[in-house]
Amino acid sequence: MKEQGDDGEVIRWQAYPSWNQFAWLFFFSMGAALRSRYLYVLDPEHANGAVWLGGAVLLLACAGLLRYWAQFVLTSRRVLLRNGYTGRDIEAIPLEEIREVTVTRGPFAGFLGIGTVVVRSTGGERVLLLRGVRDPDAVKTRIDAGRGY
């Protein structure tokens, strides 16, 4: 995907956090839906099951809203975290100021195929975390290629 802005900056890669980042919300939503079904079977005349079903739907809506809150972007000049709803840049580090790019992932994240790409600036005062990235090693390679490594 190559888009060019008004200043000649080319977008080389952009993504939202993976749906796998929100697996815990899906798990709790499924638990609430199962509880709803269980309560409905026990006592179909009362609305207890409907409350739990509403909670399950609310958790799924939260997952959708949270996923699109953050957008990760790699351009020809910088790596940035952008608000997915407003398009406003939250944090950015120019490629020439990047000291190192690393990938971290816990055991559960590794099982889900996601991780966090950590971008550190040369002074060390700024750290940009791209959390919940699908295939974080490929993203690290893209950033390193943009830096000329």
Side-chain angles (χ1 to χ4, degrees):
M1 165 177 284
K2 297 204 183 222
E3 298 176 23
Q4 188 166 351
D6 296 334
D7 58 356
E9 191 171 25
V10 177
I11 295 176
R12 295 187 174 155
W13 173 81
Q14 60 185 351
Y16 292 99
S18 170
W19 282 110
N20 293 345
Q21 172 77 1
F22 306 102
W24 61 277
L25 278 173
F26 299 133
F27 177 76
F28 286 118
S29 178
M30 183 179 64
L34 289 173
R35 177 135 187 174
S36 168
R37 176 72 178 139
Y38 176 73
L39 289 173
Y40 181 75
V41 168
L42 284 180
D43 192 5
E45 295 177 14
H46 291 89
N48 292 336
V51 171
W52 281 93
L53 185 59
V57 170
L58 185 63
L59 286 173
L60 290 175
C62 284
L65 289 171
L66 287 173
R67 180 175 191 249
Y68 292 106
W69 176 83
Q71 182 181 25
F72 312 130
V73 182
L74 170 64
T75 72
S76 56
R77 296 183 184 161
R78 58 197 174 135
V79 177
L80 60 121
L81 176 63
R82 179 178 286 162
N83 184 306
Y85 293 113
T86 64
R88 192 183 117 249
D89 295 350
I90 297 170
E91 181 76 34
I93 299 179
L95 292 176
E96 64 270 4
E97 291 182 19
I98 295 175
R99 178 177 47 133
E100 70 177 340
V101 181
T102 58
V103 172
T104 61
R105 67 177 74 121
F108 191 62
F111 173 74
L112 294 174
I114 60 175
T116 300
V117 178
V118 182
V119 181
R120 298 185 198 295
S121 68
T122 52
E125 69 277 353
R126 291 190 298 162
V127 176
L128 182 62
L129 300 173
L130 309 179
R131 297 179 190 268
V133 175
R134 177 180 287 132
D135 197 7
D137 294 316
V139 175
K140 177 189 180 313
T141 302
R142 284 177 184 259
I143 294 171
D144 285 339
R147 293 173 52 210
Y149 289 96

